[in-house]
Each structure stands twice: as C-alpha cells, then as structure tokens.
PDB file of all heavy atoms in Angstrom:
ATOM      1  N   TYR A 271      18.416  15.861  36.882  1.00 94.00           N
ATOM      2  CA  TYR A 271      19.118  15.139  35.816  1.00 94.00           C
ATOM      3  C   TYR A 271      18.798  15.808  34.486  1.00 94.00           C
ATOM      4  O   TYR A 271      17.672  15.770  34.012  1.00 94.00           O
ATOM      5  CB  TYR A 271      18.676  13.673  35.811  1.00 94.00           C
ATOM      6  CG  TYR A 271      19.563  12.792  34.971  1.00 94.00           C
ATOM      7  CD1 TYR A 271      20.806  12.392  35.428  1.00 94.00           C
ATOM      8  CD2 TYR A 271      19.152  12.370  33.717  1.00 94.00           C
ATOM      9  CE1 TYR A 271      21.634  11.581  34.656  1.00 94.00           C
ATOM     10  CE2 TYR A 271      19.969  11.552  32.940  1.00 94.00           C
ATOM     11  CZ  TYR A 271      21.194  11.169  33.418  1.00 94.00           C
ATOM     12  OH  TYR A 271      22.008  10.368  32.662  1.00 94.00           O
ATOM     13  N   GLN A 272      19.821  16.445  33.886  1.00 92.00           N
ATOM     14  CA  GLN A 272      19.641  17.142  32.613  1.00 92.00           C
ATOM     15  C   GLN A 272      20.840  16.885  31.718  1.00 92.00           C
ATOM     16  O   GLN A 272      21.983  16.956  32.175  1.00 92.00           O
ATOM     17  CB  GLN A 272      19.507  18.651  32.837  1.00 92.00           C
ATOM     18  CG  GLN A 272      18.239  19.044  33.543  1.00 92.00           C
ATOM     19  CD  GLN A 272      18.169  20.544  33.764  1.00 92.00           C
ATOM     20  OE1 GLN A 272      19.175  21.201  33.950  1.00 92.00           O
ATOM     21  NE2 GLN A 272      16.964  21.068  33.766  1.00 92.00           N
ATOM     22  N   GLY A 273      20.552  16.574  30.468  1.00 88.00           N
ATOM     23  CA  GLY A 273      21.621  16.398  29.500  1.00 88.00           C
ATOM     24  C   GLY A 273      22.556  15.259  29.855  1.00 88.00           C
ATOM     25  O   GLY A 273      23.759  15.386  29.705  1.00 88.00           O
ATOM     26  N   SER A 274      22.031  14.186  30.362  1.00 89.00           N
ATOM     27  CA  SER A 274      22.765  12.966  30.740  1.00 89.00           C
ATOM     28  C   SER A 274      23.727  13.155  31.911  1.00 89.00           C
ATOM     29  O   SER A 274      24.720  12.451  32.023  1.00 89.00           O
ATOM     30  CB  SER A 274      23.488  12.352  29.537  1.00 89.00           C
ATOM     31  OG  SER A 274      24.594  13.136  29.159  1.00 89.00           O
ATOM     32  N   ALA A 275      23.437  14.117  32.788  1.00 92.00           N
ATOM     33  CA  ALA A 275      24.239  14.309  33.999  1.00 92.00           C
ATOM     34  C   ALA A 275      23.386  14.981  35.075  1.00 92.00           C
ATOM     35  O   ALA A 275      22.420  15.686  34.764  1.00 92.00           O
ATOM     36  CB  ALA A 275      25.469  15.146  33.714  1.00 92.00           C
ATOM     37  N   TRP A 276      23.751  14.753  36.331  1.00 94.00           N
ATOM     38  CA  TRP A 276      23.077  15.415  37.450  1.00 94.00           C
ATOM     39  C   TRP A 276      23.598  16.838  37.570  1.00 94.00           C
ATOM     40  O   TRP A 276      24.804  17.069  37.548  1.00 94.00           O
ATOM     41  CB  TRP A 276      23.312  14.658  38.747  1.00 94.00           C
ATOM     42  CG  TRP A 276      22.585  13.356  38.808  1.00 94.00           C
ATOM     43  CD1 TRP A 276      23.110  12.116  38.617  1.00 94.00           C
ATOM     44  CD2 TRP A 276      21.194  13.163  39.056  1.00 94.00           C
ATOM     45  NE1 TRP A 276      22.126  11.162  38.733  1.00 94.00           N
ATOM     46  CE2 TRP A 276      20.936  11.773  39.012  1.00 94.00           C
ATOM     47  CE3 TRP A 276      20.136  14.019  39.316  1.00 94.00           C
ATOM     48  CZ2 TRP A 276      19.675  11.231  39.210  1.00 94.00           C
ATOM     49  CZ3 TRP A 276      18.868  13.481  39.519  1.00 94.00           C
ATOM     50  CH2 TRP A 276      18.645  12.105  39.463  1.00 94.00           C
ATOM     51  N   GLN A 277      22.695  17.792  37.693  1.00 91.00           N
ATOM     52  CA  GLN A 277      23.035  19.199  37.853  1.00 91.00           C
ATOM     53  C   GLN A 277      22.594  19.629  39.246  1.00 91.00           C
ATOM     54  O   GLN A 277      21.423  19.519  39.588  1.00 91.00           O
ATOM     55  CB  GLN A 277      22.315  20.058  36.805  1.00 91.00           C
ATOM     56  CG  GLN A 277      22.501  19.600  35.378  1.00 91.00           C
ATOM     57  CD  GLN A 277      23.919  19.753  34.897  1.00 91.00           C
ATOM     58  OE1 GLN A 277      24.597  20.721  35.226  1.00 91.00           O
ATOM     59  NE2 GLN A 277      24.391  18.781  34.136  1.00 91.00           N
ATOM     60  N   PHE A 278      23.544  20.126  40.042  1.00 87.00           N
ATOM     61  CA  PHE A 278      23.218  20.604  41.375  1.00 87.00           C
ATOM     62  C   PHE A 278      22.669  22.024  41.261  1.00 87.00           C
ATOM     63  O   PHE A 278      23.280  22.877  40.618  1.00 87.00           O
ATOM     64  CB  PHE A 278      24.457  20.567  42.270  1.00 87.00           C
ATOM     65  CG  PHE A 278      24.857  19.164  42.635  1.00 87.00           C
ATOM     66  CD1 PHE A 278      25.547  18.373  41.731  1.00 87.00           C
ATOM     67  CD2 PHE A 278      24.518  18.638  43.868  1.00 87.00           C
ATOM     68  CE1 PHE A 278      25.909  17.068  42.054  1.00 87.00           C
ATOM     69  CE2 PHE A 278      24.873  17.335  44.204  1.00 87.00           C
ATOM     70  CZ  PHE A 278      25.565  16.554  43.296  1.00 87.00           C
ATOM     71  N   ILE A 279      21.529  22.246  41.869  1.00 83.00           N
ATOM     72  CA  ILE A 279      20.908  23.566  41.833  1.00 83.00           C
ATOM     73  C   ILE A 279      21.567  24.418  42.908  1.00 83.00           C
ATOM     74  O   ILE A 279      21.549  24.067  44.087  1.00 83.00           O
ATOM     75  CB  ILE A 279      19.388  23.473  42.063  1.00 83.00           C
ATOM     76  CG1 ILE A 279      18.746  22.639  40.956  1.00 83.00           C
ATOM     77  CG2 ILE A 279      18.766  24.866  42.129  1.00 83.00           C
ATOM     78  CD1 ILE A 279      17.282  22.348  41.175  1.00 83.00           C
ATOM     79  N   GLY A 280      22.160  25.512  42.498  1.00 75.00           N
ATOM     80  CA  GLY A 280      22.862  26.388  43.432  1.00 75.00           C
ATOM     81  C   GLY A 280      21.913  27.207  44.278  1.00 75.00           C
ATOM     82  O   GLY A 280      20.733  27.360  43.954  1.00 75.00           O
ATOM     83  N   GLN A 281      22.437  27.716  45.366  1.00 74.00           N
ATOM     84  CA  GLN A 281      21.638  28.563  46.238  1.00 74.00           C
ATOM     85  C   GLN A 281      21.469  29.938  45.605  1.00 74.00           C
ATOM     86  O   GLN A 281      22.367  30.441  44.937  1.00 74.00           O
ATOM     87  CB  GLN A 281      22.305  28.690  47.597  1.00 74.00           C
ATOM     88  CG  GLN A 281      22.309  27.387  48.367  1.00 74.00           C
ATOM     89  CD  GLN A 281      22.829  27.561  49.774  1.00 74.00           C
ATOM     90  OE1 GLN A 281      23.270  28.637  50.167  1.00 74.00           O
ATOM     91  NE2 GLN A 281      22.783  26.500  50.544  1.00 74.00           N
ATOM     92  N   VAL A 282      20.306  30.513  45.829  1.00 78.00           N
ATOM     93  CA  VAL A 282      20.010  31.841  45.313  1.00 78.00           C
ATOM     94  C   VAL A 282      19.752  32.747  46.508  1.00 78.00           C
ATOM     95  O   VAL A 282      18.888  32.464  47.339  1.00 78.00           O
ATOM     96  CB  VAL A 282      18.762  31.818  44.394  1.00 78.00           C
ATOM     97  CG1 VAL A 282      18.441  33.219  43.906  1.00 78.00           C
ATOM     98  CG2 VAL A 282      18.963  30.861  43.236  1.00 78.00           C
ATOM     99  N   SER A 283      20.511  33.806  46.601  1.00 81.00           N
ATOM    100  CA  SER A 283      20.349  34.759  47.697  1.00 81.00           C
ATOM    101  C   SER A 283      19.509  35.937  47.236  1.00 81.00           C
ATOM    102  O   SER A 283      19.492  36.281  46.054  1.00 81.00           O
ATOM    103  CB  SER A 283      21.714  35.273  48.160  1.00 81.00           C
ATOM    104  OG  SER A 283      22.502  34.204  48.619  1.00 81.00           O
ATOM    105  N   GLY A 284      18.843  36.538  48.184  1.00 85.00           N
ATOM    106  CA  GLY A 284      18.071  37.743  47.893  1.00 85.00           C
ATOM    107  C   GLY A 284      19.000  38.941  47.735  1.00 85.00           C
ATOM    108  O   GLY A 284      20.199  38.858  47.989  1.00 85.00           O
ATOM    109  N   PRO A 285      18.452  40.053  47.305  1.00 85.00           N
ATOM    110  CA  PRO A 285      19.261  41.261  47.105  1.00 85.00           C
ATOM    111  C   PRO A 285      19.786  41.797  48.443  1.00 85.00           C
ATOM    112  O   PRO A 285      19.077  41.782  49.446  1.00 85.00           O
ATOM    113  CB  PRO A 285      18.288  42.241  46.452  1.00 85.00           C
ATOM    114  CG  PRO A 285      16.924  41.735  46.793  1.00 85.00           C
ATOM    115  CD  PRO A 285      17.047  40.259  46.976  1.00 85.00           C
ATOM    116  N   VAL A 286      21.063  42.234  48.448  1.00 85.00           N
ATOM    117  CA  VAL A 286      21.665  42.742  49.691  1.00 85.00           C
ATOM    118  C   VAL A 286      22.405  44.072  49.507  1.00 85.00           C
ATOM    119  O   VAL A 286      22.774  44.691  50.486  1.00 85.00           O
ATOM    120  CB  VAL A 286      22.641  41.705  50.306  1.00 85.00           C
ATOM    121  CG1 VAL A 286      21.892  40.502  50.806  1.00 85.00           C
ATOM    122  CG2 VAL A 286      23.703  41.302  49.315  1.00 85.00           C
ATOM    123  N   ALA A 287      22.668  44.476  48.303  1.00 84.00           N
ATOM    124  CA  ALA A 287      23.436  45.708  48.105  1.00 84.00           C
ATOM    125  C   ALA A 287      22.887  46.451  46.895  1.00 84.00           C
ATOM    126  O   ALA A 287      21.895  46.054  46.306  1.00 84.00           O
ATOM    127  CB  ALA A 287      24.911  45.377  47.906  1.00 84.00           C
ATOM    128  N   GLY A 288      23.552  47.496  46.521  1.00 84.00           N
ATOM    129  CA  GLY A 288      23.169  48.273  45.348  1.00 84.00           C
ATOM    130  C   GLY A 288      23.116  49.744  45.664  1.00 84.00           C
ATOM    131  O   GLY A 288      23.026  50.162  46.828  1.00 84.00           O
ATOM    132  N   THR A 289      23.134  50.548  44.607  1.00 86.00           N
ATOM    133  CA  THR A 289      23.099  51.995  44.819  1.00 86.00           C
ATOM    134  C   THR A 289      21.674  52.491  45.015  1.00 86.00           C
ATOM    135  O   THR A 289      21.446  53.457  45.715  1.00 86.00           O
ATOM    136  CB  THR A 289      23.747  52.720  43.623  1.00 86.00           C
ATOM    137  OG1 THR A 289      23.096  52.319  42.429  1.00 86.00           O
ATOM    138  CG2 THR A 289      25.228  52.407  43.535  1.00 86.00           C
ATOM    139  N   THR A 290      20.715  51.830  44.401  1.00 86.00           N
ATOM    140  CA  THR A 290      19.314  52.186  44.596  1.00 86.00           C
ATOM    141  C   THR A 290      18.624  51.028  45.294  1.00 86.00           C
ATOM    142  O   THR A 290      18.619  49.908  44.787  1.00 86.00           O
ATOM    143  CB  THR A 290      18.624  52.446  43.237  1.00 86.00           C
ATOM    144  OG1 THR A 290      19.341  53.464  42.547  1.00 86.00           O
ATOM    145  CG2 THR A 290      17.186  52.847  43.433  1.00 86.00           C
ATOM    146  N   ILE A 291      18.065  51.286  46.451  1.00 87.00           N
ATOM    147  CA  ILE A 291      17.423  50.226  47.230  1.00 87.00           C
ATOM    148  C   ILE A 291      15.916  50.438  47.181  1.00 87.00           C
ATOM    149  O   ILE A 291      15.398  51.461  47.639  1.00 87.00           O
ATOM    150  CB  ILE A 291      17.932  50.226  48.682  1.00 87.00           C
ATOM    151  CG1 ILE A 291      19.428  49.914  48.678  1.00 87.00           C
ATOM    152  CG2 ILE A 291      17.163  49.227  49.522  1.00 87.00           C
ATOM    153  CD1 ILE A 291      20.079  50.012  50.023  1.00 87.00           C
ATOM    154  N   ASP A 292      15.232  49.477  46.604  1.00 89.00           N
ATOM    155  CA  ASP A 292      13.772  49.485  46.519  1.00 89.00           C
ATOM    156  C   ASP A 292      13.257  48.435  47.505  1.00 89.00           C
ATOM    157  O   ASP A 292      13.300  47.235  47.235  1.00 89.00           O
ATOM    158  CB  ASP A 292      13.349  49.153  45.086  1.00 89.00           C
ATOM    159  CG  ASP A 292      11.841  49.214  44.881  1.00 89.00           C
ATOM    160  OD1 ASP A 292      11.090  49.069  45.868  1.00 89.00           O
ATOM    161  OD2 ASP A 292      11.420  49.388  43.732  1.00 89.00           O
ATOM    162  N   LEU A 293      12.797  48.883  48.652  1.00 88.00           N
ATOM    163  CA  LEU A 293      12.381  47.961  49.711  1.00 88.00           C
ATOM    164  C   LEU A 293      11.201  47.092  49.296  1.00 88.00           C
ATOM    165  O   LEU A 293      11.134  45.910  49.666  1.00 88.00           O
ATOM    166  CB  LEU A 293      12.057  48.728  50.995  1.00 88.00           C
ATOM    167  CG  LEU A 293      13.263  49.394  51.667  1.00 88.00           C
ATOM    168  CD1 LEU A 293      12.831  50.171  52.895  1.00 88.00           C
ATOM    169  CD2 LEU A 293      14.300  48.353  52.038  1.00 88.00           C
ATOM    170  N   GLU A 294      10.264  47.635  48.552  1.00 90.00           N
ATOM    171  CA  GLU A 294       9.116  46.841  48.107  1.00 90.00           C
ATOM    172  C   GLU A 294       9.561  45.729  47.161  1.00 90.00           C
ATOM    173  O   GLU A 294       9.107  44.593  47.276  1.00 90.00           O
ATOM    174  CB  GLU A 294       8.078  47.734  47.434  1.00 90.00           C
ATOM    175  CG  GLU A 294       7.358  48.650  48.397  1.00 90.00           C
ATOM    176  CD  GLU A 294       6.395  49.602  47.698  1.00 90.00           C
ATOM    177  OE1 GLU A 294       6.328  49.607  46.446  1.00 90.00           O
ATOM    178  OE2 GLU A 294       5.717  50.347  48.414  1.00 90.00           O
ATOM    179  N   ALA A 295      10.463  46.042  46.251  1.00 91.00           N
ATOM    180  CA  ALA A 295      10.965  45.027  45.320  1.00 91.00           C
ATOM    181  C   ALA A 295      11.752  43.961  46.075  1.00 91.00           C
ATOM    182  O   ALA A 295      11.607  42.768  45.817  1.00 91.00           O
ATOM    183  CB  ALA A 295      11.840  45.671  44.242  1.00 91.00           C
ATOM    184  N   ARG A 296      12.580  44.365  47.030  1.00 89.00           N
ATOM    185  CA  ARG A 296      13.357  43.399  47.818  1.00 89.00           C
ATOM    186  C   ARG A 296      12.447  42.484  48.621  1.00 89.00           C
ATOM    187  O   ARG A 296      12.685  41.280  48.709  1.00 89.00           O
ATOM    188  CB  ARG A 296      14.341  44.112  48.733  1.00 89.00           C
ATOM    189  CG  ARG A 296      15.506  44.685  47.970  1.00 89.00           C
ATOM    190  CD  ARG A 296      16.473  45.393  48.878  1.00 89.00           C
ATOM    191  NE  ARG A 296      17.511  45.995  48.046  1.00 89.00           N
ATOM    192  CZ  ARG A 296      18.782  45.973  48.346  1.00 89.00           C
ATOM    193  NH1 ARG A 296      19.201  45.402  49.440  1.00 89.00           N
ATOM    194  NH2 ARG A 296      19.653  46.536  47.536  1.00 89.00           N
ATOM    195  N   THR A 297      11.410  43.034  49.190  1.00 89.00           N
ATOM    196  CA  THR A 297      10.459  42.226  49.962  1.00 89.00           C
ATOM    197  C   THR A 297       9.767  41.227  49.044  1.00 89.00           C
ATOM    198  O   THR A 297       9.601  40.052  49.401  1.00 89.00           O
ATOM    199  CB  THR A 297       9.416  43.139  50.653  1.00 89.00           C
ATOM    200  OG1 THR A 297      10.103  44.048  51.517  1.00 89.00           O
ATOM    201  CG2 THR A 297       8.421  42.323  51.449  1.00 89.00           C
ATOM    202  N   ALA A 298       9.387  41.662  47.855  1.00 91.00           N
ATOM    203  CA  ALA A 298       8.740  40.756  46.895  1.00 91.00           C
ATOM    204  C   ALA A 298       9.690  39.651  46.454  1.00 91.00           C
ATOM    205  O   ALA A 298       9.320  38.473  46.402  1.00 91.00           O
ATOM    206  CB  ALA A 298       8.230  41.547  45.681  1.00 91.00           C
ATOM    207  N   ILE A 299      10.934  40.006  46.150  1.00 90.00           N
ATOM    208  CA  ILE A 299      11.929  39.013  45.723  1.00 90.00           C
ATOM    209  C   ILE A 299      12.187  38.009  46.847  1.00 90.00           C
ATOM    210  O   ILE A 299      12.210  36.792  46.621  1.00 90.00           O
ATOM    211  CB  ILE A 299      13.236  39.705  45.268  1.00 90.00           C
ATOM    212  CG1 ILE A 299      12.999  40.468  43.970  1.00 90.00           C
ATOM    213  CG2 ILE A 299      14.365  38.683  45.101  1.00 90.00           C
ATOM    214  CD1 ILE A 299      14.125  41.407  43.587  1.00 90.00           C
ATOM    215  N   ASP A 300      12.358  38.505  48.075  1.00 89.00           N
ATOM    216  CA  ASP A 300      12.594  37.609  49.213  1.00 89.00           C
ATOM    217  C   ASP A 300      11.423  36.660  49.435  1.00 89.00           C
ATOM    218  O   ASP A 300      11.614  35.483  49.742  1.00 89.00           O
ATOM    219  CB  ASP A 300      12.874  38.412  50.484  1.00 89.00           C
ATOM    220  CG  ASP A 300      14.259  39.053  50.486  1.00 89.00           C
ATOM    221  OD1 ASP A 300      15.140  38.556  49.742  1.00 89.00           O
ATOM    222  OD2 ASP A 300      14.455  40.047  51.216  1.00 89.00           O
ATOM    223  N   SER A 301      10.194  37.148  49.258  1.00 90.00           N
ATOM    224  CA  SER A 301       9.034  36.268  49.460  1.00 90.00           C
ATOM    225  C   SER A 301       8.936  35.219  48.348  1.00 90.00           C
ATOM    226  O   SER A 301       8.572  34.068  48.610  1.00 90.00           O
ATOM    227  CB  SER A 301       7.734  37.079  49.569  1.00 90.00           C
ATOM    228  OG  SER A 301       7.441  37.726  48.363  1.00 90.00           O
ATOM    229  N   ILE A 302       9.279  35.589  47.122  1.00 90.00           N
ATOM    230  CA  ILE A 302       9.298  34.611  46.026  1.00 90.00           C
ATOM    231  C   ILE A 302      10.345  33.537  46.299  1.00 90.00           C
ATOM    232  O   ILE A 302      10.083  32.342  46.141  1.00 90.00           O
ATOM    233  CB  ILE A 302       9.570  35.312  44.669  1.00 90.00           C
ATOM    234  CG1 ILE A 302       8.385  36.195  44.276  1.00 90.00           C
ATOM    235  CG2 ILE A 302       9.878  34.289  43.578  1.00 90.00           C
ATOM    236  CD1 ILE A 302       8.674  37.152  43.130  1.00 90.00           C
ATOM    237  N   LEU A 303      11.538  33.957  46.716  1.00 88.00           N
ATOM    238  CA  LEU A 303      12.589  32.990  47.024  1.00 88.00           C
ATOM    239  C   LEU A 303      12.172  32.064  48.161  1.00 88.00           C
ATOM    240  O   LEU A 303      12.444  30.862  48.131  1.00 88.00           O
ATOM    241  CB  LEU A 303      13.896  33.712  47.367  1.00 88.00           C
ATOM    242  CG  LEU A 303      14.575  34.452  46.213  1.00 88.00           C
ATOM    243  CD1 LEU A 303      15.783  35.246  46.713  1.00 88.00           C
ATOM    244  CD2 LEU A 303      14.974  33.489  45.108  1.00 88.00           C
ATOM    245  N   GLU A 304      11.508  32.588  49.167  1.00 87.00           N
ATOM    246  CA  GLU A 304      11.064  31.756  50.290  1.00 87.00           C
ATOM    247  C   GLU A 304      10.029  30.730  49.842  1.00 87.00           C
ATOM    248  O   GLU A 304      10.067  29.567  50.266  1.00 87.00           O
ATOM    249  CB  GLU A 304      10.495  32.627  51.419  1.00 87.00           C
ATOM    250  CG  GLU A 304      10.102  31.847  52.658  1.00 87.00           C
ATOM    251  CD  GLU A 304      11.235  30.980  53.198  1.00 87.00           C
ATOM    252  OE1 GLU A 304      12.401  31.406  53.186  1.00 87.00           O
ATOM    253  OE2 GLU A 304      10.937  29.849  53.639  1.00 87.00           O
ATOM    254  N   VAL A 305       9.114  31.120  48.976  1.00 87.00           N
ATOM    255  CA  VAL A 305       8.132  30.160  48.445  1.00 87.00           C
ATOM    256  C   VAL A 305       8.839  29.064  47.650  1.00 87.00           C
ATOM    257  O   VAL A 305       8.530  27.875  47.805  1.00 87.00           O
ATOM    258  CB  VAL A 305       7.072  30.880  47.570  1.00 87.00           C
ATOM    259  CG1 VAL A 305       6.234  29.885  46.791  1.00 87.00           C
ATOM    260  CG2 VAL A 305       6.195  31.770  48.425  1.00 87.00           C
ATOM    261  N   LEU A 306       9.803  29.435  46.831  1.00 84.00           N
ATOM    262  CA  LEU A 306      10.543  28.446  46.047  1.00 84.00           C
ATOM    263  C   LEU A 306      11.346  27.510  46.950  1.00 84.00           C
ATOM    264  O   LEU A 306      11.466  26.320  46.672  1.00 84.00           O
ATOM    265  CB  LEU A 306      11.464  29.136  45.040  1.00 84.00           C
ATOM    266  CG  LEU A 306      10.763  29.899  43.917  1.00 84.00           C
ATOM    267  CD1 LEU A 306      11.768  30.676  43.077  1.00 84.00           C
ATOM    268  CD2 LEU A 306       9.947  28.956  43.056  1.00 84.00           C
TER     269      LEU A 306
END
C-alpha cells in the first residue's frame, strides 16, 4: 500500500540475453533474486 493505493509488485526475471555474457554476474544476480 503506497500513495493511497495498493501497488502490485511485478515479477523480476534474471538476465537471459545480451551481447556480453558474464556468467559470474548472472549467477550473483540469480542468487540475489532467489533470496528476495
């Protein structure tokens, strides 16, 4: 509930594409998302 209305928290996906793939960064981001 923010600003006198309910706000639905959207889903956040991990990284899946890109021209430069950093596996260590993707693993870290995925683990942070899983903890959240």
Side-chain angles (χ1 to χ4, degrees):
Y271 193 76
Q272 292 179 328
S274 72
W276 289 102
Q277 307 293 322
F278 289 79
I279 299 173
Q281 292 187 355
V282 178
S283 299
V286 292
T289 56
T290 303
I291 297 174
D292 183 336
L293 293 178
E294 290 176 356
R296 287 180 184 222
T297 301
I299 291 168
D300 287 338
S301 66
I302 292 167
L303 292 174
E304 184 54 39
V305 168
L306 293 173

